[in-house]
Amino acid sequence: MQNFLQILVSGISVGMIYGVIAFGYQLTFATSKTLNFGQGEALTLGALVGFSTVGFLAGLSLGPAAAYIIALPIVFAFGLAQGSVVEWLGVRQAMKTKSEAGWIMATIALGIIFKNLAENIWGKDPLKFPSPLSENPLTIGGVNIRPMEIAIVLGALAMMLAVEAFNRRSIYGKAVVATANDRDAAGLMGINTPLVITFSYALSSLSAALAGVLVAPITLTGANMGAALGLKAFAVAIIGGLSSGFGVVVGGLILGITESLTGFYFETGYKDVPGLILLLLVLSFKPAGLFGKPAIKKV
Amino acid sequence: MIKTRWAAAAAISALMIGAASAQQPIKIGLSGPFTGGSAAMGVSMRDGVKLAAQEINKAGGVLGRPILLVERDDEAKNELGVQIAQELINKEQVVATVGYINTGVALASQRFYQEAEIPVMNNVATGTLVTRQFAGPEHKANYIFRNSANDTIQSAMIADAVKKAGYTKPAIIADSTNYGQLGRADLEKALGERGLKPVAVEKFNIGDTDMTAQALRAKDAGADVVLTYAIGPELAQTVNAVVKLGWKVPVMGSWTLSMASFIDSAGANGEGVMMPQTFIQLPTTPKRKAFIEAYQTTYKVDRIPSPVSAAQGYDSMLLLAAAINQAKSTDGPKIRAALENLTTKIEGVVTTYDKPFSATDHEAITANIPVLGTVKGGRVIPANPADLEGDGALRVKPKS
C-alpha cells in the first residue's frame, strides 16, 4: 500500500507538469482553434530565463527561495511576451488568409528557431537549476515526497484556478469565453477578437514557462528539456480533450499515473506504452477526448 | 616595370610555398562531443589531446613536422560522426584520428577509417565491440585501437567489488541507449560468472525526469546494492530517487559516475558512489603531477571536468605520435604496423605503455590498470587509497 501511494505521488507530480503544458494547448485552441507546436520550446525558454534570473539574483546575495519567488514574475512576463510573438509572427497571418496548415508550419518553425536561440545563448549543456526548497524529502503518512514535488502540484493548480477565475469573474475573461464560444458573433458584439487570441497565446506560453520553472529544480535545465515534455503534453491534450481545461488536467494526471504505475507494477522498460495505447483508444472511440465536446463542422 | 613586379611577387610566393611544404604539418583528426550531455567528457578529452600535441610540437614535432589537430564536434550523434569521418578522411586527409566518447558514434564512424586504412585511436568509448568490429580473421588488418578501459573490464571490476563487499542482491538500473543496455548485458554476465543474479533489472529513457518507479522496484526486491550503467544527468536523477525514498543503499556503476554533470547535479546525494577509474586527479606519479599542473594552468580550472577523459586523451596522442615517429611515415598501414609493435616505452599519464598493442590485441588498458574511485566532497578520490600508493601507483599491462 505504501509503495502504491509512493508511486501515486510521483505519478501525480509528473502528471501535473504534463497537465500545465497541455493547459497551454487548450487555451489557444479554445479561442482560435490553433495550437502552438512550439510549446515545448516555450517551456525551455521559460526555464532558462528563470535559470539566468535566479543566477543573477543569487549574485545579489539573495537566498535561493527569495531569488526564485522574485524571478517568477520576470519569467511570467517573458512567457507573455514570447507567446505574443508566436501569435504575431506565426498565427495571425495564417488566420487572416484562412490557411488550414500555415499556423502548424509556422509554430513548428518558430519552435526550432527558439530552440536554436536557447542553444546559442545558454549552450547545449544541461544546467543545474538551484532548488528554491530543501532537497531533503518529507515523510507524510509513510510516503516520501520532495518539497519541490508538492510545489509543482500547488503551483500548477494555482495557475489553472487563476485562469479559470479570470475567465469567469472579470469582464476581460468574459471576452475570452465569448470568443471561445463563437468568434464571429463575439467580433460583431464589439470584442476585439484578434487581441483576445493574442492574449490567449501569451497566456499559453506563460503556462509553459511556469511548467518550465516548476520542473527545472527536480531535473536539469537545457535547450532540449522541452522536446519530450511538449510531446507528452500534446498526447495529454488529445486524451483529455482540447476543448476542456478540466479535461487536460485530468488527462495529465491519467498519463502521469499510468506511466508510474506501469513502471512499478509491470516493467520500467514499458513505462510509456499504456499512455500511447490510451491515446490510440481515445482517438478511435472518442476523438474529441475524454472530456471534450465533439465539434460539429458546418460546411 | 609591372612585369618585374609580377615576377618578383611570383618568386616570393613560390618561396613561401616551398618553405611551407618543408614544414607542412601532420594532420590528426579529433572527433568527440564538445556540446550536449557528453560534452564534459568530450571537452576534457580534446583538451588532453591538445595538451599532448602542444608538448610534442614544442619538442620539435613528429618527423620534424608539427602536429595540426583538426577538431570536429560530433555532438554524440552517430550520423554526424559519420559525416565528420568522411570529411576528415577525404577533405582534410588526416593521417590518423583520435577521439570518440560514445560507443555508438565510434561503431558508426570508424568503418570509413578502416576502409581508408587510416588508424583510429579510441580514447574514451568503452563498448566492448569497438576494437572487435574489424578484428581478424575476417579482416586482414584492424585499424581500430583503444586506450580506455572497455566495458568487459569495467563490469568485471564492479562485479568483483560487489562480491568482495559481500553483497548478494544487486539491482541494475541502466538507461535504454546502446551504452546502457550493452553495459547492462556485460554486467549481468560478469555477475553470473561470480554466482550472483540481479534481483531487479530496471530501465529508463534519456530525458526521464522521475526515477521513483525504478528505485522503488529495486528497493522492493530487497536489493542490497544498486549498480548503474547510464550517463550523468540521468544518473543524478537515479540517486536522487534513491535518496528520496529514504533508502540507504550503496551505489556503484560504470566510470560515468565520475562525470561532472552527475557529481554537480546529484550534490550530496552522489557522495560515496563507486566506479572504475583509469585516472584520478591526484599527483601519484611525477608524470601525473606534471599533467595535472599543465592542464590546470593551460585551461585555468582546478577540477578537471572529466579527469579520465583528459588523461586518456593525452595518452592517445602520445601513443600515436610515437607510432608515426617509429613508422617514419604518415602512411596508414605503416602507422598501424608501428602501433602493433611499438619499440619505445611511452610514459603516459594512465600507465607506462610497454608494447601496449599487438596484431591481435588492440586494447592498451588491461583489467589490472583501473582502480575503484569514489565521490567525496564533489571530487573523485580512490575508494581504497592503498590502491595508488607505492608500487600500486603505476599499474602496467602484463606482458603477454
Side-chain angles (χ1 to χ4, degrees):
Chain A
M1 190 59 197
Q2 205 155 318
N3 283 347
F4 175 77
L5 288 175
Q6 181 76 62
I7 287 301
L8 198 65
V9 165
S10 83
I12 288 172
S13 80
V14 174
M16 275 320 247
I17 290 292
Y18 296 161
V20 181
I21 310 169
F23 191 69
Y25 285 124
Q26 184 268 332
L27 286 173
T28 60
F29 190 78
T31 57
S32 66
K33 301 282 172 285
T34 60
L35 304 174
N36 178 9
F37 279 96
Q39 193 76 343
E41 282 69 30
L43 177 146
T44 304
L45 283 180
L48 286 168
V49 167
F51 171 81
S52 291
T53 318
V54 168
F56 172 74
L57 292 169
L60 302 175
S61 63
L62 273 171
Y68 189 84
I69 289 173
I70 299 174
L72 280 180
I74 297 170
V75 171
F76 292 165
F78 174 81
L80 290 172
Q82 194 258 355
S84 312
V85 169
V86 169
E87 196 272 343
W88 183 57
L89 288 176
V91 183
R92 182 166 297 186
Q93 205 53 38
M95 289 191 47
K96 245 184 222 161
T97 54
K98 302 230 180 311
S99 156
E100 286 274 349
W103 57 271
I104 301 180
M105 293 304 165
T107 54
I108 292 176
L110 283 169
I112 296 171
I113 292 170
F114 284 128
K115 188 177 154 224
N116 289 334
L117 199 67
E119 284 179 350
N120 280 317
I121 299 175
W122 286 277
K124 293 180 188 171
D125 301 332
L127 306 160
K128 163 92 173 151
F129 196 106
S131 179
L133 299 170
S134 159
E135 286 183 311
N136 297 326
L138 305 168
T139 309
I140 300 168
V143 175
N144 290 317
I145 309 173
R146 270 187 274 178
M148 203 57 217
E149 287 178 311
I150 301 174
I152 287 175
V153 176
L154 294 182
L157 282 177
M159 206 277 305
M160 291 184 278
L161 287 177
V163 171
E164 280 303 306
F166 172 80
N167 279 352
R168 287 181 195 192
R169 301 263 174 238
S170 77
I171 184 85
Y172 303 103
K174 290 209 164 76
V176 174
V177 177
T179 310
N181 283 341
D182 191 329
R183 193 182 342 143
D184 294 334
L188 291 173
M189 292 297 126
I191 292 172
N192 185 352
T193 53
L195 188 67
V196 169
I197 291 170
T198 309
F199 176 71
S200 71
Y201 264 86
L203 215 52
S204 156
S205 279
L206 183 148
S207 62
L210 173 73
V213 286
L214 284 176
V215 77
I218 62 162
T219 142
L220 290 169
T221 325
N224 292 313
M225 71 182 288
L229 286 172
L231 206 62
K232 283 263 171 70
F234 190 60
V236 163
I238 291 170
I239 292 172
L242 269 168
S243 53
S244 162
F246 171 72
V248 291
V249 180
V250 177
L253 290 176
I254 291 175
L255 192 69
I257 294 170
T258 21
E259 276 184 9
S260 297
L261 289 180
T262 321
F264 183 69
Y265 288 105
F266 189 56
E267 222 191 283
T268 43
Y270 292 105
K271 194 162 70 73
D272 292 341
V273 175
L276 295 172
I277 293 176
L278 185 66
L279 179 65
L280 289 176
L281 287 177
V282 167
L283 281 176
S284 351
F285 295 108
K286 212 164 176 312
L290 292 177
F291 297 90
K293 290 179 280 274
I296 302 154
K297 195 160 188 174
K298 301 183 191 86
V299 185
Chain B
M1 187 64 196
I2 290 165
K3 247 187 194 167
T4 48
R5 244 190 225 168
W6 274 112
I12 290 165
S13 58
L15 264 173
M16 281 166 72
I17 290 165
S21 69
Q23 274 291 307
Q24 207 180 41
I26 293 179
K27 278 189 180 175
I28 307 276
L30 174 52
S31 180
F34 308 141
T35 53
S38 313
M41 299 185 276
V43 169
S44 297
M45 179 276 286
R46 177 191 68 191
D47 290 349
V49 172
K50 278 164 75 176
L51 206 57
Q54 280 163 16
E55 285 174 15
I56 292 164
N57 286 345
K58 220 180 265 173
V62 173
L63 307 175
R65 292 159 63 185
I67 288 174
L68 178 70
L69 294 171
V70 187
E71 298 166 26
R72 290 291 181 272
D73 180 6
D74 64 32
E75 297 178 23
K77 291 180 183 146
N78 297 0
E79 66 281 5
L80 206 55
V82 166
Q83 222 176 335
I84 289 168
Q86 290 168 323
E87 187 208 340
L88 290 178
I89 294 167
N90 300 321
K91 184 161 162 272
E92 299 291 343
Q93 301 191 324
V94 296
V95 303
T97 282
V98 294
Y100 296 125
I101 305 293
N102 312 83
T103 298
V105 183
L107 291 176
S109 315
Q110 57 195 18
R111 142 181 341 273
F112 299 94
Y113 292 98
Q114 173 74 20
E115 277 165 18
E117 303 190 320
I118 294 174
V120 176
M121 183 67 71
N122 279 281
N123 47 25
V124 181
T126 59
T128 302
L129 188 60
V130 169
T131 50
R132 301 200 187 144
Q133 197 178 12
F134 303 105
E138 299 86 31
H139 297 271
K140 216 168 75 206
N142 183 0
Y143 283 82
I144 315 303
F145 296 81
R146 164 155 61 194
N147 69 319
S148 62
N150 66 40
D151 284 335
T152 312
I153 296 176
Q154 296 199 29
S155 51
M157 276 187 78
I158 298 165
D160 274 338
V162 168
K163 183 97 183 162
K164 210 174 133 198
Y167 301 125
T168 51
K169 293 173 168 175
I172 303 178
I173 301 185
D175 70 28
S176 58
T177 64
N178 264 352
Y179 176 69
Q181 290 306 307
L182 291 172
R184 179 207 33 89
D186 280 336
L187 201 51
E188 279 189 79
K189 198 169 144 229
L191 288 169
E193 284 163 1
R194 286 156 186 80
L196 291 167
K197 198 177 164 349
V199 291
V201 178
E202 305 306 329
K203 194 164 142 182
F204 54 77
N205 294 324
I206 294 290
D208 276 4
T209 53
D210 186 84
M211 314 294 182
T212 311
Q214 287 85 347
L216 199 54
R217 268 172 78 101
K219 188 186 177 200
D220 225 34
D224 53 7
V225 59
V226 169
L227 308 178
T228 62
Y229 240 99
I231 58 167
E234 286 78 19
L235 285 169
Q237 299 292 1
T238 308
V239 296
N240 286 345
V242 166
V243 171
K244 185 184 96 172
L245 295 177
W247 186 22
K248 302 253 181 300
V249 67
V251 177
M252 291 184 199
S254 58
W255 77 283
T256 42
L257 281 170
S258 68
M259 280 171 72
S261 59
F262 166 76
I263 295 175
D264 292 345
S265 49
N269 298 348
E271 294 281 299
V273 303
M274 297 214 263
M275 75 310 267
Q277 298 281 283
T278 54
F279 170 69
I280 287 173
Q281 192 182 339
L282 283 177
T284 42
T285 66
K287 181 79 186 173
R288 287 177 194 157
K289 186 165 186 281
F291 169 73
I292 294 168
E293 281 167 6
Y295 194 101
Q296 285 172 331
T297 44
T298 312
Y299 303 110
K300 301 191 174 47
V301 290
D302 177 42
R303 183 186 68 171
I304 303 176
S306 172
V308 169
S309 314
Q312 288 170 180
Y314 182 89
D315 285 5
S316 65
M317 191 66 239
L318 293 191
L319 287 166
L320 199 59
I324 298 173
N325 265 331
Q326 185 180 322
K328 295 196 169 46
S329 156
T330 54
D331 188 29
K334 286 187 184 148
I335 299 173
R336 176 189 56 78
L339 275 170
E340 286 174 348
N341 185 29
L342 277 174
T343 50
T344 46
K345 262 195 195 180
I346 297 141
E347 200 193 335
V349 176
V350 171
T351 178
T352 295
Y353 301 91
D354 184 9
K355 296 214 184 300
F357 304 111
S358 72
T360 49
D361 179 9
H362 282 199
E363 302 271 4
I365 304 296
T366 43
N368 63 314
I369 294 176
V371 296
L372 272 186
T374 186
V375 175
K376 195 172 175 224
R379 278 171 179 264
V380 178
I381 58 162
N384 312 303
D387 284 353
L388 286 175
E389 277 166 13
D391 293 344
L394 192 67
R395 298 151 161 260
V396 292
K397 183 174 182 172
K399 293 235 157 58
S400 50

